[in-house]
Amino acid sequence: MTAPQANPFIGVWQRQYLQIDDGPQETQQQVLWIQAERQFADVRSWPYPQPLTAKTYADLNERQQFDAALLGFAGHFSWEMLGPGHGRCCWQHRITLLPGSFDDVSEFTWLAADTLLEVGRYTDAAGNLHTFEERWQRIERSPVQVQQNSDRSLVLQCGDWANVICDRRTQPSHWSEYEATCWQRKHDKWELQFGTGDSLKAAVTLHPTSA
């Protein structure tokens, strides 16, 4: 029997750029993805000046809705190799701002030991198909601690980085109760880097521990 392969994605990943279709390589949005053996948590800044609510979401353009849907999400991850340095990965979104869970499937290419190129496709609300490319740089390779894991919350810590995803909503339209935050530990103190406090005006109720 062949032993299962260790997950080569474990660690903290910072996005270097996003390119949609033939557009420019975008670098203005802060994105941090933490990958454990199976769980993942992805937190992104909101790169627009206006606050975001369930009511104002309908007035956003297609691209802004794309970013809103991916402000912060968590779930389970799987991967398979298709050839040397190339394969397919699947992020199963289980905690999300927008209703419903789904599988996010992309292909990846290892450019270096800690550099990853992700290529995939998505369909917008109007039914138009788009391609995207994301380049990721791993900035931490330490083991990942799963500090809290339930159907509605996940806290992952890796080295001096942590991502928190917590859905406290009592109603789907109460977006200010959806919490997705990125933290960095400096001098033994956790400091909030970015998250839904700016975009959704969400209160910060769940923090990484000092363990």
Side-chain angles (χ1 to χ4, degrees):
M1 180 180 295
T2 303
Q5 289 182 286
N7 186 338
F9 299 89
I10 289 175
V12 180
W13 295 85
Q14 195 169 55
R15 194 176 72 188
Q16 294 184 310
Y17 71 77
L18 164 68
Q19 183 176 23
I20 295 181
D21 297 328
D22 294 322
Q25 293 183 356
E26 303 175 16
T27 60
Q28 71 272 24
Q29 188 179 30
Q30 298 180 81
V31 181
L32 199 83
W33 153 39
I34 298 183
Q35 181 62 53
E37 181 64 42
R38 179 159 171 75
Q39 299 100 326
F40 75 89
D42 186 309
V43 176
R44 310 186 177 200
S45 66
W46 177 240
Y48 308 102
Q50 68 270 38
L52 180 61
T53 67
K55 186 176 182 180
T56 60
Y57 174 81
D59 298 325
L60 301 178
N61 61 39
E62 178 276 325
R63 177 52 203 282
Q64 291 172 326
Q65 290 184 345
F66 172 85
D67 288 326
L70 299 175
L71 273 181
F73 53 97
H76 294 159
F77 174 82
S78 59
W79 59 280
E80 62 175 333
M81 297 302 297
L82 300 177
H86 173 70
R88 181 182 298 116
C89 46
C90 176
W91 288 268
Q92 298 174 324
H93 294 215
R94 294 296 178 260
I95 309 174
T96 61
L97 176 63
L98 297 184
S101 60
F102 65 94
D103 292 351
D104 177 9
V105 180
S106 302
E107 294 195 359
F108 66 85
T109 301
W110 289 102
L111 303 180
D114 294 310
T115 308
L116 183 71
L117 187 68
E118 177 193 351
V119 177
R121 300 187 297 175
Y122 74 94
T123 303
D124 64 27
N128 301 310
L129 184 65
H130 301 273
T131 61
F132 70 87
E133 177 178 294
E134 292 177 291
R135 179 169 172 145
W136 299 90
Q137 185 68 39
R138 180 157 41 194
I139 59 175
E140 176 62 64
R141 295 177 65 96
S142 301
V144 178
Q145 299 178 37
V146 181
Q147 295 186 355
Q148 180 166 341
N149 184 16
S150 70
D151 291 341
R152 302 187 70 183
S153 67
L154 179 65
V155 179
L156 296 183
Q157 178 189 332
C158 182
D160 290 329
W161 294 93
N163 276 355
V164 174
I165 309 289
C166 181
D167 188 354
R168 300 179 286 103
R169 288 177 290 184
T170 54
Q171 297 291 334
S173 61
H174 294 178
W175 282 17
S176 62
E177 297 172 355
Y178 188 87
E179 190 175 342
T181 51
C182 173
W183 302 77
Q184 185 178 12
R185 184 166 50 190
K186 301 178 181 179
H187 307 295
D188 294 326
K189 180 180 178 182
W190 286 104
E191 297 182 6
L192 179 63
Q193 301 302 297
F194 56 89
T196 49
D198 294 328
S199 54
L200 304 179
K201 304 305 179 185
V204 176
T205 64
L206 192 59
H207 301 73
T209 71
S210 298

